[in-house]
Amino acid sequence: CRGNGSCTADFQCLSGVCDETTGQCLLIPLITDVSPWTQAGGSWVTIMGDSFGSNEGSVTFGRDTTVPADGTPDVWAPAPLASCGGNDVWYDNYIIVEVPADAVLANNSLSSIRVEHEAYNATTNPDFYDESANNRGPLGGPDNGWFTKDNSLSLPGLCAITPLAQAPGFTPVDLLGQKLGTGGILAFGNIAATVSGIWNDSQIKGATVPANMNFGTVGVVATVGAKQSNGLPFKVVSPASLLAPVIESVTPLDTTVGSYITISGKRFG
């Protein structure tokens, strides 16, 4: 189980952590991928995974400086969240961060990326973190979970997409970023999209989700020249799901027979 399931040992949980006191699997952060695995200082990467929490925790890049190297990071550099015009860049399933500067993370270095949930505490909640190069999740990238800093790259970056879900052919999608140039290719799940609005260094407007795409989550990337940005997760949904009524709240939740209640939502017709 991922969480809220019974357990007696760590191996019984997908998260790899069992709270043996309560007998429940814990929902702890799990890094599944990084996009891209090689990037320059000051540029952005997307950390993908699960259970990062809806509120900001912390991200650090750790180098193994032991001689000879033993595979355990021992020097950690804090990574600031991407500055995205006030838009949120920390979600439960992905985080966008800026690769630390040379003053704290050397160029051409390898580092393990660590995500700490806001609830992490070395004493009371020591399991609420994950590292890209540990054995808890998949060891992605060409160096088995180790990120490479390469200042010669300076790739484009994406940090926000609006809306987060859309149907093919419906209202266009807008994106914010950096180093996007004046044009290129915007792809949803490796399928090029039509962009009818402006494309400049910091934004792409009026992108239409390509027709005939399978429903589900895909990656969105921008390619400028020969340089590809970090990816953003995007949910392709059916047109029907955008038209169905949605109940968002009921007030009050407790009342007597014959009393009135207020149902709030959207698309009630």
Side-chain angles (χ1 to χ4, degrees):
C1 61
R2 180 73 183 125
N4 300 323
S6 60
C7 61
T8 56
D10 290 344
F11 76 89
Q12 296 173 321
C13 303
L14 181 60
S15 65
V17 178
C18 173
D19 184 341
E20 296 180 12
T21 301
T22 62
Q24 296 290 306
C25 293
L26 296 180
L27 282 166
I28 60 174
L30 181 69
I31 298 172
T32 57
D33 201 4
V34 174
S35 172
W37 280 99
T38 303
Q39 181 62 291
S43 296
W44 297 337
V45 297
T46 304
I47 305 166
M48 290 166 281
D50 190 21
S51 301
F52 297 147
S54 57
N55 296 322
E56 178 183 337
S58 67
V59 177
T60 50
F61 285 57
R63 293 186 297 125
D64 177 7
T65 63
T66 306
V67 180
D70 61 5
T72 302
D74 59 302
V75 176
W76 294 90
L81 296 181
S83 178
C84 195
N87 289 279
D88 193 6
V89 294
W90 185 294
Y91 293 87
D92 191 56
N93 62 332
Y94 73 95
I95 308 163
I96 306 167
V97 299
E98 180 180 304
V99 178
D102 290 353
V104 291
L105 185 68
N107 187 33
N108 298 317
S109 63
L110 291 176
S111 54
S112 179
I113 299 176
R114 178 183 174 109
V115 173
E116 292 182 0
H117 190 282
E118 66 164 341
Y120 173 81
N121 182 287
T123 302
T124 58
N125 289 319
D127 295 314
F128 279 71
Y129 79 95
D130 193 23
E131 296 176 15
S132 61
N134 65 13
N135 60 5
R136 182 177 293 169
L139 298 175
D143 291 301
N144 296 317
W146 291 86
F147 171 86
T148 301
K149 181 178 179 180
D150 184 350
N151 287 340
S152 70
L153 294 178
S154 192
L155 303 176
L158 296 175
C159 62
I161 185 166
T162 306
L164 295 173
Q166 187 58 281
F170 270 56
T171 305
V173 174
D174 297 333
L175 301 99
L176 296 177
Q178 66 175 1
K179 305 174 189 174
L180 297 174
T182 57
I185 299 172
L186 184 70
F188 288 72
N190 296 320
I191 301 176
T194 300
V195 178
S196 59
I198 63 173
W199 183 315
N200 60 32
D201 209 44
S202 62
Q203 60 184 326
I204 302 170
K205 286 186 171 292
T208 302
V209 180
N212 302 318
M213 292 196 69
N214 293 327
F215 304 142
T217 300
V218 300
V220 178
V221 297
T223 302
V224 180
K227 297 182 176 182
Q228 188 177 91
S229 73
N230 58 313
L232 293 182
F234 180 83
K235 191 172 184 178
V236 180
V237 298
S238 68
S241 69
L242 299 178
L243 301 175
V246 176
I247 296 176
E248 296 177 328
S249 65
V250 178
T251 307
L253 293 176
D254 297 301
T255 188
T256 57
V257 175
S259 298
Y260 293 117
I261 62 172
T262 300
I263 302 173
S264 300
K266 56 188 175 184
R267 298 195 290 269
F268 291 159

